[in-house]
Amino acid sequence: MKRRDFIKTSMVLSVLGARLPLMALGKSKQNIRRKTGTWDSDRILVLIKMDGGNDGLNTVIPVYDNLYHQKRPTLAFNANQALMVNEDSGFHPQMAPLVPIFQNGEMGIIHGVGYPQGNLSHFRSSDIWVTGSPADEIWSSGWLGRLFQNEYPNFPDGAPEHPIAIQFNSANLLEFQSVQTNFATMLFDPEIMYYIVNENYVPGSNDPPLETYGGDELNFVRELDLTTLEYSEEIYGAGQDGDLTVEYPNNNLGEQLAVTAKLISGGLMTPIYRLNIGGFDTHAGQGGEHPPLLNQMSNAISAFLQDLKNQGLDDRVMVVTTSEFGRRVEENGSNGTDHGTSGPIFTFGTTTVGNVFGSQPSLSNLDYNENLMVEHDFRQVYTTLIEDWFGLDPTVSQAVFQETFETIPFVANPLSVSGSPAVPEAFTLYPAFPNPFNPATNIRFELPHSSKVTIQIFDIKGREVRTHRLGKVSAGLHDFRLDCRDLSSGVYHIQVETAGSVQSQRVTLLK
Amino acid sequence: MAETITRRDLLTNRRKKADRPSHIKKDWPTPRVAKLYRKFLDDKPAPYYPPLKDYTPVPITPSRRHTTVDWNDDAAAHLLRRTLFAPTFSEITTTGADTMANTVDTILADQDQPEPPGDWVTEPPPQFDSLTQEEIMELLQTYYRRQFELIGWWMKRMATQPLSIVENMTLFWHNHFATSLQGVFFPQAMYEQNAVLREHSLGNFRELLRRVTFGPAMMIWLDTNSSTVYHPNENFARELLELFTIGVDNYTQTDVEEAARAFTGYRTNGVNTNYSYNQATGFGNYWQQRHDFGPKTFLGQTGNFDGDDIIDIILQQDQTANFICEKIYKWFVYEVPDDAFVDEMATIFRNNNYEILPVMDHVFTSDHFYDENFRGCLIRNPLTVTQGIFRQFDIADEDIPFRYLIDLQHFMGMIPNMPPNVNGWAGYRSWLNSITLPMRKLFTATMTNGTNLFGGEFDFEPDVVALAQTLSDPNDAEALVNDLAKLFFPLPISDDLEEQLLYALLEGAAVYDWDINAAGAPQRLRNLIIYMMRKPEFQLL
């Protein structure tokens, strides 16, 4: 059930009047909640799920790839239609609000995200993404469920006062499911939820339940009753205290983001919000179905980012979009595309590194099913969020995925385990990766304090071939994507200069 | 070229494929006679399937013969709660005073098939190509309305059922063969599947599986309808194995592909199919041209299999009975299956050549089912909550707009005929979360007050006094409270809970002050009932 449906059919609020009084409730706390857990950071992750499998090739468009035009005679966009953002890619024409955001370095694009042995069954693939399992195993708990089980093993004992995660639809989601319980709180509207929950709450009786299976289930319902009651109060309070400084678009995602912004602004400490926008399963008539969704998404996200900036909340929030798979390269006979494998993930905010990670997928070098190859495992993205964004120990992400995955440097200020951003001692230049490379490589460097940075490329004869002036860059870890498509193969020197210090290294471009 | 004879052909009395007429000539001797001839053949009784020669029934004593269950009101209430959508008080006391054997017999007895919701259930699809845009739009509106009429019709059956498991069993099979109207389009097809599920809900599983497989709804839903020898579609074959019969890890991808080749050439127009149940084959030009008649290897056997052959081979696997019985166990007993008991159920299932009734009888007369451990250990699904209330308040015949009923189910997550996907509803604790649990309580409270959840009022009010009059001694407050607890709660109530309930009714007045005929009694009763429906115990089964 979506919030819109309920508002459309509900007369409840009008019965109540415009403003709800805070009810004084005598509730008996049957469990003592102590704040424990190692979750230190106050950072917030907003996950937006694009339901159905977003078509990455028509989102970040490889306009100069001839194969793209050949294989999509009716669906392809050319360089005049796409909104060009760099030398090889353009955004879908409906994504105009996101162009300045990308150009400001507040949007990251991670190409080719998927997993090996892509499963084309709709729910198998969804399940793999939300459980974080290898493709040939079936896990019944979600990655966030395991993460929170790790943090709060005796949930609800030891749980914080705020909801651990908030989602905006009423079905239990596998990603928050652990073996014991589900860690998400479903919400459609803070005020309506508060009213309904409180009007209908009666305390359970005081006897301990029987030691039978029936007793177990009774315990479960009692706990749910109690946590729902407490969370509804927290949420209501934050909703009353919060502000919105922009006008959100009047669509499904806009509404969800508006409630999210209000709660963050009102001081709710919930670290994860899970939103969704559906309709991406464009098997037919994609030309009519895909654009309004991208339009909705772009307008809603840009409003949200602006609101956060206005309220000074942007340094704590990152928005990440995911989808359960990409779509096939070749269009089908119904002017649509069928289920594919990998696709791009987008990260938004002043907290992300505004780079392109990886490159446009090859349309000639496809897998055995004629689908796009995978460049990044989606678990790398999740691992990065766990380690770099929330600053948890690598042993935690290891425990969640049963494997170690290499992080992708899209978090601008990675937290260290102690919870505060690590301030480097001195200017450091890390080894570029990949190396040798074609066509792009990533240059990573650390600054002890903010200063101007210039990157220069010299060829083997010492001639300067390129200069990038980055201007003033903040302290901390940074990544710069160096695209050398226009250069010829060979060895080059990369020189990074800042505040009087120079460091350099050799890289090899191998075309 | 000699055709391979399958082992199945040898062991059953069905005719060999070579002997079957490959198709009925469409217009011979005249079109009218040919059509009647087809119907004549179809109306003949279905072939008899003797048990397979190399299966030895495993000796097992059905529960009925050795049960030691202490039969009383509590045991009766437990059974009725699990099989009906909610029992009335007189049903509990009447069956509690009777014997377990009689009660189980009644619950599992044959029921007449109901009248369909309208004549439209057999209406043939139109010639779409000859319709104008406006006519198509009008048709879509009509079909849409009929789909929801069908849902309302079914929900009303749930709320008005007699002392019978049939509607619950139909819902169980619906969850098992989860088919959604959104993927099927034709209300006629959804009706046909519902009628099939009901008719065979306690019958023979092989027959049920065949009827569902070759019915128009399933053919459309899982793409059998577009599966041809040139382009076999794996969708149905995969779900047949994974979800409907033997479960994951009991077959390979190759098995799926080979089964997909067998399920080719079947066709439907949304109302009729090109399949004959009695002859167990497709027929007609499309069948001849689009079915893959070649040899396939499936689960270790090779032959020129068609869909029926695949079903037969699946039913030769021991795992099938276990898989189905485990699902039955989870729906009726507890989420965590007891392997030993499920094995018993599966043995009975196989011994009886896949008759469902003996399995249900074995469960409902077993010591295992009535064990104290299992009282109240299931979580009520949304339909038992809503339709249960209508049944207990005896207001199901009132003119409640079915659109309202369906909207309610939408909020609680279980609209019949609209499962989220072919996996069905996850059920168990996933029914309850921070939205659905408060919504349930809101619904039950407003229903008891006779108000519409979305504002406005109905023109009835549940007669709580009449409900109280069905109890043992409505003028005795303690008896009243305990009887209502028997009606609404699956677990015995503690002294503390009894205190709370008495307080909710009397609000501090003395117990002997309670007078059901006093002016304020109806409102107090209503308050008590709403209070009970808001208790966690009310969510359990």
Side-chain angles (χ1 to χ4, degrees), chain B residues 142-160:
Chain B
T142 307
Y143 276 10
Y144 186 75
R145 184 174 39 83
R146 286 174 183 169
Q147 292 280 19
F148 285 94
E149 268 175 34
L150 178 62
I151 297 177
W153 171 85
W154 189 12
M155 286 174 73
K156 188 150 192 196
R157 291 202 53 74
M158 293 176 194
T160 56

Side-chain angles (χ1 to χ4, degrees), chain A residues 1-2 5-6 9-12 15 121 123 127 138 169-172 180 184-188 193 195-197 199-207 210-218 220-222 224-225 228, chain B residues 238-239 243 248 334 372-379 407 410-411 421-423 428-439 441-442 445 453-455 491-492 494-497 500 531 534-537 539-540:
Chain A
M1 172 196 70
K2 295 200 271 266
D5 296 340
F6 191 78
T9 52
S10 165
M11 307 276 280
V12 171
V15 167
S121 147
F123 14 95
D127 283 356
I138 299 185
N169 51 312
S170 66
N172 278 36
Q180 312 276 41
T185 298
M186 289 72 177
L187 173 68
F188 37 94
M193 178 187 188
Y195 167 70
I196 294 178
V197 169
E199 262 288 291
N200 290 289
Y201 176 80
V202 303
S205 62
N206 286 324
D207 312 312
L210 304 167
E211 304 242 317
T212 62
Y213 297 139
D216 288 344
E217 300 309 317
L218 181 60
F220 163 73
V221 184
R222 281 182 178 171
L224 179 62
D225 244 352
T228 303
Chain B
R238 186 188 313 281
E239 309 308 356
L243 300 176
V248 288
Y334 184 46
E372 292 301 315
N373 229 345
F374 295 123
R375 307 292 171 102
C377 72
L378 288 183
I379 303 222
D407 281 346
H410 175 56
F411 287 130
N421 53 52
V422 66
N423 247 314
Y428 188 46
R429 292 182 180 183
S430 76
W431 288 129
L432 299 181
N433 58 45
S434 55
I435 286 185
T436 55
L437 181 55
M439 285 302 293
K441 298 198 224 169
L442 181 64
L453 188 57
F454 309 116
L491 299 165
S494 62
D495 291 333
D496 188 61
L497 182 52
Q500 289 186 322
Y531 182 81
R534 286 174 173 162
K535 278 268 175 196
E537 286 82 348
Q539 303 304 329
L540 302 177

Side-chain angles (χ1 to χ4, degrees), chain A residues 18-270:
Chain A
R19 187 136 178 132
L20 290 164
L22 245 185
M23 298 190 208
L25 295 163
K27 52 187 196 277
S28 62
K29 275 201 180 191
Q30 289 169 312
N31 293 293
I32 301 170
R33 309 283 161 88
R34 290 178 309 275
K35 259 197 211 173
T36 60
T38 61
W39 199 286
D40 249 345
S41 114
D42 63 351
R43 287 178 164 185
I44 295 173
L45 172 65
V46 177
L47 277 171
I48 300 183
K49 168 92 188 301
M50 300 191 275
D51 272 330
N54 178 42
D55 183 23
L57 281 180
N58 268 17
T59 313
V60 182
I61 306 170
V63 292
Y64 298 120
D65 192 330
N66 287 326
L67 284 170
Y68 167 72
H69 293 279
Q70 263 174 45
K71 299 206 173 182
R72 294 186 166 202
T74 71
L75 293 182
F77 293 97
N78 60 40
N80 291 326
Q81 300 161 313
L83 307 171
M84 299 308 293
V85 291
N86 60 24
E87 59 280 326
D88 64 4
S89 307
F91 283 175
H92 186 287
Q94 289 295 320
M95 288 166 67
L98 295 184
V99 171
I101 292 176
F102 179 74
Q103 286 167 342
N104 270 345
E106 294 170 11
M107 173 178 172
I109 301 175
I110 308 174
H111 272 300
V113 186
Y115 54 90
Q117 303 164 294
N119 191 304
L120 302 180
S121 147
H122 210 131
F123 14 95
R124 246 328 261 151
S125 202
S126 294
D127 283 356
I128 290 169
W129 269 78
V130 304
T131 59
S133 73
D136 54 357
E137 292 180 27
I138 299 185
W139 293 4
S140 55
S141 59
W143 71 281
L144 288 167
R146 290 193 297 282
L147 178 65
F148 290 122
Q149 193 72 53
N150 187 63
E151 278 302 299
Y152 309 108
N154 299 313
F155 186 81
D157 285 336
E161 274 170 15
H162 53 259
I164 290 176
I166 286 182
Q167 64 177 71
F168 285 92
N169 51 312
S170 66
N172 278 36
L173 293 173
L174 186 51
E175 51 237 79
F176 294 110
Q177 188 73 37
S178 76
V179 175
Q180 312 276 41
T181 183
N182 193 293
F183 281 94
T185 298
M186 289 72 177
L187 173 68
F188 37 94
D189 179 281
E191 287 195 8
I192 297 179
M193 178 187 188
Y194 180 73
Y195 167 70
I196 294 178
V197 169
N198 282 276
E199 262 288 291
N200 290 289
Y201 176 80
V202 303
S205 62
N206 286 324
D207 312 312
L210 304 167
E211 304 242 317
T212 62
Y213 297 139
D216 288 344
E217 300 309 317
L218 181 60
N219 210 39
F220 163 73
V221 184
R222 281 182 178 171
E223 291 293 355
L224 179 62
D225 244 352
L226 206 57
T227 49
T228 303
L229 181 73
E230 296 185 350
Y231 287 160
S232 76
E233 265 188 37
E234 281 290 310
I235 292 172
Y236 176 74
Q240 295 300 302
D241 289 341
D243 273 320
L244 297 178
T245 64
V246 304
E247 189 157 325
Y248 282 83
N250 187 17
N251 56 47
N252 182 21
L253 187 63
E255 279 175 12
Q256 294 175 56
L257 282 169
V259 175
T260 306
K262 203 154 203 217
L263 294 177
I264 298 177
S265 150
L268 193 65
M269 298 302 288
T270 299

Side-chain angles (χ1 to χ4, degrees), chain A residues 45 101-102 105-110 301 305 318-321 344-349 351-355 357 381 385 410-411:
Chain A
L45 172 65
I101 292 176
F102 179 74
E106 294 170 11
M107 173 178 172
I109 301 175
I110 308 174
I301 292 180
L305 295 174
M318 184 183 296
V319 180
V320 177
T321 67
I345 278 190
F346 306 116
T347 61
F348 297 94
T351 47
T352 189
V353 176
N355 270 356
F357 298 92
V381 179
L385 290 170
F410 63 83
V411 177

